Amino acid sequence: MKMKKVGIVGASGYSGEELVRLLLHHPHVELSAVTSRQNAGQTLAQVFPKFANHPRARELRFSEPKVEVLSKQADIVFLALPHGVAAEYAVPLMQAGCIVIDLSADFRVKSAEVYKEFYAHDHPAPDLLGKSVYGLPEVYREQIKKATLIASPGCYPTSILLPLIPLLKAGIIKHTGIIADSLSGVSGAGRKAELDYLFVECNESVRPYGVPKHRHLSEIEQELSVAASAPVTIQFTPHLIPVNRGILTTLYVAPEKHFSNETEMKELGEKISTCYKQVYGNEPFVRLLEGKALPDTKNVVGTNVCEIAWRLDARTGRLIVMSAEDNLVKGASGQAVQSMNILCGFPEIAGLV
Amino acid sequence: MKMKKVGIVGASGYSGEELVRLLLHHPHVELSAVTSRQNAGQTLAQVFPKFANHPRARELRFSEPKVEVLSKQADIVFLALPHGVAAEYAVPLMQAGCIVIDLSADFRVKSAEVYKEFYAHDHPAPDLLGKSVYGLPEVYREQIKKATLIASPGCYPTSILLPLIPLLKAGIIKHTGIIADSLSGVSGAGRKAELDYLFVECNESVRPYGVPKHRHLSEIEQELSVAASAPVTIQFTPHLIPVNRGILTTLYVAPEKHFSNETEMKELGEKISTCYKQVYGNEPFVRLLEGKALPDTKNVVGTNVCEIAWRLDARTGRLIVMSAEDNLVKGASGQAVQSMNILCGFPEIAGLV
Amino acid sequence: MKMKKVGIVGASGYSGEELVRLLLHHPHVELSAVTSRQNAGQTLAQVFPKFANHPRARELRFSEPKVEVLSKQADIVFLALPHGVAAEYAVPLMQAGCIVIDLSADFRVKSAEVYKEFYAHDHPAPDLLGKSVYGLPEVYREQIKKATLIASPGCYPTSILLPLIPLLKAGIIKHTGIIADSLSGVSGAGRKAELDYLFVECNESVRPYGVPKHRHLSEIEQELSVAASAPVTIQFTPHLIPVNRGILTTLYVAPEKHFSNETEMKELGEKISTCYKQVYGNEPFVRLLEGKALPDTKNVVGTNVCEIAWRLDARTGRLIVMSAEDNLVKGASGQAVQSMNILCGFPEIAGLV
Amino acid sequence: MKMKKVGIVGASGYSGEELVRLLLHHPHVELSAVTSRQNAGQTLAQVFPKFANHPRARELRFSEPKVEVLSKQADIVFLALPHGVAAEYAVPLMQAGCIVIDLSADFRVKSAEVYKEFYAHDHPAPDLLGKSVYGLPEVYREQIKKATLIASPGCYPTSILLPLIPLLKAGIIKHTGIIADSLSGVSGAGRKAELDYLFVECNESVRPYGVPKHRHLSEIEQELSVAASAPVTIQFTPHLIPVNRGILTTLYVAPEKHFSNETEMKELGEKISTCYKQVYGNEPFVRLLEGKALPDTKNVVGTNVCEIAWRLDARTGRLIVMSAEDNLVKGASGQAVQSMNILCGFPEIAGLV
């Protein structure tokens, strides 16, 4: 298999660092460029001592992010940048022939108006919105194969979409009244020197934030609407939890079919179970929990796996679905690498196990 | 004010230890007895070095729990025991003339059948169910004044009942479709040598448990039903979070009155705000957050305060209410001391600030 | 007892916040001024929601730090400022008749040259060095009574000086070859928006820093030299540990008298034990551990207590002394309040239990 | 390269689990047996959900530990058992022709008397002490190649021996007066249901333990004595720190050659630097830090790397050496796999990067 050359723009944040980790050890790519304004000139090994035993990390130096240089160094460029900034690089990189895998929110939302509503500024490159593929491999694998611009999904969206999309598509649950309650590790806030994310402010603290209109709602509702073939509006509450990594999402949904006795509950349960097995039974990165097991972030941290479990509640008539993922891997960099693997024709799990 | 003599049965668990802390420093009581099978014979200072600078902790020794001795040593006895066991002590202690403040679930549920449904054994003292007062001072202050048996509420119930009861009583929210999503620190599991609660199993882990039918639902629904004057069934999902103390609860409820524009939302918001201020404006241990503030467990840990904030969501038509408390203080021992203060005619905040 | 009016300059950092907590609840003082450039105009309750249930916190507003205003509002002013800055306030405040209790390093070191060597700038007010009293009550209680300028000790120094000074004064240990290995919680780094102290950078991390010449060495060696009546140079290594609060120090020292058998070891042990009991037996804030107990930061967090335990090692001939304290209480704000109590003739434990 | 079949006795503890992780993904071995009394009959996937996406984990079941079965299933058997128990399996497994890699302390100490002194019971198989090789690859690589019984070093010993042995062998430091101060994550205590290791007891706690005579001293001093060609006695203090994994050791040693000025310090520094580079410059799992970098456990967790940095202190004439490792990888299971690689002629880094 021909090696691809890959670059990372914004490689000093948490998802950038995680991309470095994954791509340094990937069997089919060579990490050929990493950029970072504040670390330009230093080697990967100097900035991230934990990679120092990798020979490539001792020679590859951070550079200033310059499109004309990058486009020669790399076939594929990952953008690990804040929203709004990513688009500035995506446009010229694509013009220069690079494939772009964007981890920001810039190309996830298909509508420039929705983007503006949620991100409070005009979309910087509305023409590209039609070209981008939402990089959720379990849903858009075929489209990813032919993509030139991949909008890799956010961490919260992944934890919500993977459990819900099969049920909506199969008509098992109602598309109204959905509630998503999510708990995120602190790396989700990025490597930013802000008081709110100091150790002492986060340790021994649990708190909701961004209630009730978090930006990720735009892409979540867009994708749920596609799955439901109807406009979906959901309730979403994120919370900050004192762990480095991991998202745990608890979803409250209403089954289409009312169940009022043991038999009906068992029937519905089998329908849900079958649906998930058909859709995810062969997916390498979705783990359907069985028996009494419930998701636990510690079982997915460091991996590209999303765990899913569900329970029917005879008392309330509701279905509760729970998921766990590593926000930096399946919720960001691992998923982006998974898309790259599909796009390049590599084994989908290459560099991810 | 006459000093009361107080005893604690089961003083070596987490809520027992917290009772020790509060009662050692309480201005109107003398801690005259602490029991613990495994620590019998040792002083409080030996078992809990952190109390060793208190003279009483250096002289008071743990004893075996014997009712005939306890009833002579103490006017008021706190029971910090597992459910089922507490009742065994409550009955003879009351016969011997003691006032009993029970931190277990034994006397919270008024119906012996409901108790059996949720706790999987017959109620050990059904005759006393009619006598007990549910020790939530903000709701049952008058009844507590005359009580001889107080069933102090659980930690999850407190975090759910305080935010919801005023809204249900005022008819502002529907009593159907309520969802409570709660996050609890590990001390909520008690001081038990079980693998699940080892540091390594809880640190860097976030997980739901007891889905969908947690025992605390029995008392939560009982009290919500009283407030709503109608039978209430709710959805409740507890999660274990790597902090020592604290519960954060996020509640999803539907306002009785639909709101579809800014004006209606503002009107409803004022109604909610007024309701909370009328009910809790003078409560010493409820803090209504204002402006952009949201509850954070770190702001209540170590105190008897429950923080409450709320938001209306114009997109979904829902009301989200969030609360934070210290599970061992307002969720257990502090609340029990608050009830004692009321019952004894002490200032309600004595020993709690 | 006449109430004193007290002010805090720099009340928004961690030790400032802890001073607020202690002084709000102190029975003999009124907190009359708090300053903070970034929070000026806001109430204490707004900046620190956890104090919001205290009436004073709802009315007292942060102000810009102005000496002419402060000197009228307060009899005693606490300075919780960075070194170098503190002196700028101390001089005019003292001229205006205030008593100053400085939590910075500015007046701890008696020699302006030593100050310059360790802090890399000229001392801003060398004339005051002779006036200041090193505010370690267990050592300088008499001098504190008459002080007008108290230099409250640092967190590491307190954890090292309290265990060593009695042994040096009694000639039980050698003043050469002393090693202090200290572990500190992250609040010791202050409330500063720096990447190094982000949750994700500190959690699941243990690291030494400032090796081998930490600034606190200047005051540590000064005070050990006084105790030993000889110049003392020590080895000191601080480490950053993922806890909010607490310092644990392990000291390696050589007894003056060699011990080579059980009898000699027992004799020496009794000498040490007697020495500590004589010096600290009646101290309210030093806890000498007995039996098998070893210091644990969780037993001192939130209190003004320093725990001490020691062991003789027959294999190496060394004495190991271990101490634990809360870096923000006995290591900073609690100790400052203790000094204030002594200076004002209040009970020494007022507001500290 | 021919695949080897490997088994793990005691695969449900923390180092057993880590062996499972490493061996499941090792390119040259097949994990053919895992034993655990309490989990017998369950698959690896059921007991450790995080391995469930690996096909082998879904089929391999825990069995009762039976030597006659194991010896047919595996060429190499790892023992992850408590000391004393390990020897019971080692003897018959070796007789049956298996190579044994023991992670317990049973075969690390060469003297049965020293073993008894430190472990308080007679050595269970003294005849084998002469056969075992101390599995520290950086020191005993040649011996490991021909070993049939490897005594894999403890976590604390590895963090102390790797930094000190080169300096002792080169005669750069004195072999007297050495002090090792170590900080360990809680997984070092094993997966045991004991109150001391509950989340609430360890979180927000820092504490020394086992002072002054920890069992690991026996192997540490044995190996240091070999390196120094003289009997070495050291001071060692372990501390428990609230992280899951990681050991940070700070070593205080005296250079053989006194240095009293800049030039002498520079000369000595170059000697130390050269020594470390010669010994470890090509070692895949030792990382010599440069410039201002100091060890940090977060940079080694999950890897088989031991980080080393050092500083000379002109004020005290001492050398301070600091090391960091993952107690479960380089301190246990990774090191055992490294030894296996050497013994089997696999690339030394196979399965470890």
Side-chain angles (χ1 to χ4, degrees), chain B residues 64-320:
Chain B
E64 294 281 342
K66 286 182 189 152
V67 166
E68 59 280 13
V69 182
L70 268 170
S71 62
K72 280 165 201 154
Q73 292 171 319
D75 307 310
I76 301 166
V77 177
F78 291 84
L79 305 179
L81 295 165
H83 65 86
V85 183
E88 292 175 25
Y89 289 87
V91 178
L93 281 167
M94 288 178 70
Q95 285 168 346
C98 291
I99 284 169
V100 171
I101 302 179
D102 179 16
L103 279 76
S104 88
D106 277 1
F107 300 101
R108 296 178 193 157
V109 178
K110 293 297 178 189
S111 150
E113 294 97 281
V114 173
Y115 183 91
K116 191 174 181 181
E117 180 194 343
F118 280 86
Y119 291 90
H121 59 83
D122 284 323
H123 193 282
D127 296 351
L128 283 180
L129 291 180
K131 279 207 173 170
S132 72
V133 171
Y134 193 70
L136 192 59
E138 290 76 10
V139 178
Y140 293 106
R141 188 169 280 118
E142 290 311 308
Q143 293 85 332
I144 291 168
K145 286 181 185 168
K146 295 162 288 188
T148 53
L149 171 59
I150 289 175
S152 209
C155 50
Y156 287 124
T158 300
S159 79
I160 293 169
L161 296 174
L162 286 177
L164 291 186
I165 286 175
L167 303 178
L168 282 172
K169 280 192 179 166
I172 292 172
I173 58 170
K174 292 191 175 132
H175 69 274
T176 54
I178 296 173
I179 291 175
D181 194 286
S182 292
L183 318 176
S184 171
V186 186
S187 62
R191 186 179 260 136
K192 282 178 296 193
E194 294 182 10
L195 288 178
D196 278 355
Y197 307 115
L198 288 182
F199 181 83
V200 178
E201 304 302 319
C202 295
N203 185 40
E204 293 299 288
S205 158
V206 184
R207 47 181 141 135
Y209 69 97
V211 183
K213 197 177 172 186
H214 189 280
R215 284 168 169 172
H216 279 177
L217 274 168
S218 52
E219 58 182 290
I220 296 168
E221 294 180 347
Q222 167 183 288
E223 296 303 317
L224 293 180
S225 300
V226 171
S229 303
V232 174
T233 303
I234 75 159
Q235 192 77 54
F236 168 55
T237 312
H239 299 75
L240 198 67
I241 301 297
V243 295
N244 280 2
R245 291 163 169 235
I247 283 184
L248 192 294
T249 289
T250 303
L251 297 154
Y252 301 93
V253 296
E256 270 294 348
K257 195 159 179 310
H258 178 70
F259 59 101
S260 59
N261 57 41
E262 278 286 303
T263 316
E264 287 175 7
M265 189 163 100
K266 215 184 142 194
E267 265 176 40
L268 179 56
E270 275 162 20
K271 220 165 138 187
I272 296 166
S273 179
T274 303
C275 171
Y276 275 136
K277 275 182 197 160
Q278 278 176 349
V279 178
Y280 292 140
N282 293 313
E283 282 295 341
F285 298 122
V286 177
R287 184 156 64 225
L288 302 170
L289 298 181
E290 285 164 21
K292 296 192 169 180
L294 290 176
D296 186 332
T297 57
K298 74 168 174 274
N299 290 333
V300 294
V301 161
T303 80
N304 198 45
V305 169
C306 178
E307 279 189 339
I308 298 176
W310 55 271
R311 296 287 185 277
L312 285 168
D313 188 351
R315 300 171 69 257
T316 62
R318 263 202 213 84
L319 168 66
I320 298 123

Side-chain angles (χ1 to χ4, degrees), chain A residues 24-318:
Chain A
L24 273 181
H25 297 94
H26 195 288
H28 305 305
V29 308
E30 184 202 359
L31 183 56
S32 57
V34 287
T35 82
S36 160
R37 288 225 159 79
Q38 75 262 40
N39 295 317
Q42 293 187 273
T43 65
L44 271 175
Q46 287 167 325
V47 174
F48 298 126
K50 68 177 168 183
F51 300 139
N53 281 36
H54 195 291
R56 187 83 190 113
R58 289 196 297 271
E59 66 191 32
L60 186 60
R61 286 181 190 279
F62 281 92
S63 60
E64 295 280 341
K66 285 182 190 152
V67 167
E68 59 281 12
V69 182
L70 269 168
S71 61
K72 280 165 202 152
Q73 291 171 320
D75 307 311
I76 301 167
V77 178
F78 291 85
L79 304 179
L81 295 166
H83 64 85
V85 183
E88 292 174 25
Y89 289 87
V91 177
L93 281 166
M94 290 178 68
Q95 284 168 346
C98 291
I99 283 170
V100 171
I101 302 180
D102 179 16
L103 279 77
S104 88
D106 277 1
F107 300 101
R108 296 177 193 158
V109 178
K110 292 298 177 189
S111 151
E113 294 97 282
V114 172
Y115 183 90
K116 190 174 180 181
E117 180 194 343
F118 280 85
Y119 290 89
H121 59 84
D122 284 323
H123 193 282
D127 296 351
L128 284 179
L129 291 180
K131 280 206 171 171
S132 72
V133 171
Y134 193 71
L136 191 60
E138 290 76 9
V139 179
Y140 292 106
R141 187 170 281 116
E142 290 312 308
Q143 292 87 330
I144 291 169
K145 285 180 186 168
K146 296 163 288 189
T148 52
L149 171 59
I150 290 175
S152 211
C155 50
Y156 287 124
T158 300
S159 79
I160 292 168
L161 296 174
L162 286 177
L164 291 186
I165 285 175
L167 303 179
L168 282 172
K169 280 191 178 165
I172 292 172
I173 58 169
K174 292 190 175 133
H175 70 274
T176 53
I178 297 172
I179 291 175
D181 194 285
S182 292
L183 318 178
S184 171
V186 186
S187 62
R191 189 179 257 135
K192 280 178 300 194
E194 295 182 9
L195 288 179
D196 277 356
Y197 306 116
L198 289 182
F199 181 84
V200 178
E201 304 302 319
C202 295
N203 185 39
E204 294 298 287
S205 158
V206 183
R207 48 182 141 134
Y209 69 97
V211 182
K213 198 178 172 186
H214 189 279
R215 283 167 170 173
H216 279 177
L217 273 169
S218 51
E219 60 182 287
I220 295 167
E221 294 180 348
Q222 167 183 288
E223 296 304 317
L224 293 180
S225 299
V226 171
S229 303
V232 174
T233 302
I234 74 159
Q235 192 77 54
F236 168 55
T237 313
H239 299 75
L240 197 68
I241 301 297
V243 296
N244 279 2
R245 289 163 168 238
I247 282 184
L248 192 294
T249 290
T250 303
L251 296 154
Y252 301 93
V253 297
E256 271 292 351
K257 196 160 179 311
H258 178 70
F259 60 102
S260 60
N261 57 42
E262 278 288 301
T263 316
E264 288 175 5
M265 189 163 100
K266 216 186 141 193
E267 266 177 39
L268 179 55
E270 275 161 18
K271 221 166 139 185
I272 296 166
S273 180
T274 304
C275 171
Y276 274 136
K277 275 182 195 157
Q278 279 176 348
V279 179
Y280 292 140
N282 293 314
E283 283 295 341
F285 299 120
V286 177
R287 183 154 68 223
L288 301 171
L289 298 182
E290 284 165 21
K292 296 194 170 179
L294 290 176
D296 186 333
T297 57
K298 72 168 174 273
N299 290 332
V300 294
V301 161
T303 81
N304 198 44
V305 170
C306 178
E307 280 189 338
I308 298 175
W310 54 271
R311 296 289 184 275
L312 286 167
D313 187 351
R315 300 171 70 257
T316 62
R318 265 204 211 82

Side-chain angles (χ1 to χ4, degrees), chain C residues 117-118 176-183 196 200-213 217 221 232-237 239 241-246 248-250 252 294-298 301 311-320 322 324, chain D residues 117-118 176-183 196 200-213 217 221 232-237 239 241-246 248-250 252 294-298 301 311-320 322 324:
Chain C
E117 179 194 342
F118 280 86
T176 55
I178 296 172
I179 291 175
D181 194 287
S182 292
L183 319 176
D196 277 356
V200 178
E201 304 302 318
C202 295
N203 186 38
E204 293 299 287
S205 159
V206 184
R207 48 181 140 136
Y209 69 97
V211 182
K213 198 178 170 186
L217 273 169
E221 295 180 346
V232 175
T233 302
I234 75 160
Q235 192 77 55
F236 168 55
T237 313
H239 299 75
I241 301 297
V243 295
N244 280 2
R245 289 163 169 237
L248 192 295
T249 289
T250 303
Y252 301 93
L294 289 176
D296 186 333
T297 56
K298 73 168 174 274
V301 161
R311 296 288 185 273
L312 285 167
D313 187 351
R315 300 171 70 258
T316 62
R318 263 203 214 83
L319 168 64
I320 297 124
M322 294 147 284
Chain D
E117 180 194 343
F118 280 86
T176 54
I178 296 172
I179 292 175
D181 194 286
S182 291
L183 319 178
D196 278 356
V200 177
E201 304 302 318
C202 295
N203 185 39
E204 294 298 288
S205 158
V206 183
R207 48 182 141 136
Y209 69 96
V211 183
K213 198 178 171 186
L217 273 169
E221 294 181 346
V232 174
T233 302
I234 75 159
Q235 192 77 54
F236 168 55
T237 312
H239 298 76
I241 301 297
V243 296
N244 279 4
R245 290 162 168 237
L248 193 293
T249 290
T250 303
Y252 300 92
L294 290 176
D296 186 333
T297 56
K298 73 167 174 273
V301 161
R311 295 288 185 276
L312 286 168
D313 187 351
R315 300 171 69 258
T316 63
R318 265 203 211 82
L319 169 65
I320 298 124
M322 294 146 285

Side-chain angles (χ1 to χ4, degrees), chain D residues 17 72 93 107 128 141 156 158 176 182 188 220 288 306-307:
Chain D
E17 180 183 349
K72 279 165 201 153
L93 281 167
F107 300 102
L128 283 180
R141 187 170 280 116
Y156 287 125
T158 301
T176 54
S182 291
I220 295 168
L288 301 170
C306 178
E307 280 190 338

